[in-house]
């Protein structure tokens, strides 16, 4: 379970950084895309903190 949670959290973390970069490349909707990146990174940090604590 720990490995699966880590892989999911890492994938969400990378998606968040990809959304950060995408926000500067698009011509419309930069703010929602950037906030989506912030939410993805926050969720990626939340997963290990809550699920992997023992």
């Amino acid at each position: 379970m720990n490995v699966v949670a880590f892989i999911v959290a890492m994938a969400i973390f990378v998606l968040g950084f990809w959304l950060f970069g995408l926000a500067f490349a698009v011509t419309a909707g930069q703010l929602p895309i950037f906030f989506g990146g912030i939410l993805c990174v926050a969720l990626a940090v939340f997963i290990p903190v809550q699920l992997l604590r023992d």
Side-chain angles (χ1 to χ4, degrees):
M1 182 62 183
N2 289 347
V3 174
V4 174
F6 172 76
I7 291 172
V8 169
M10 184 58 75
I12 295 172
F13 189 75
V14 170
L15 174 67
F17 273 98
W18 181 75
L19 287 173
F20 287 152
L22 181 66
F24 290 101
V26 297
T27 57
Q30 294 96 350
L31 187 64
I33 294 172
F34 192 80
F35 280 155
I38 291 173
L39 291 176
C40 283
V41 170
L43 178 65
V45 171
F46 174 78
I47 289 171
V49 167
Q50 293 299 319
L51 296 180
L52 300 180
R53 63 181 174 161
D54 289 329

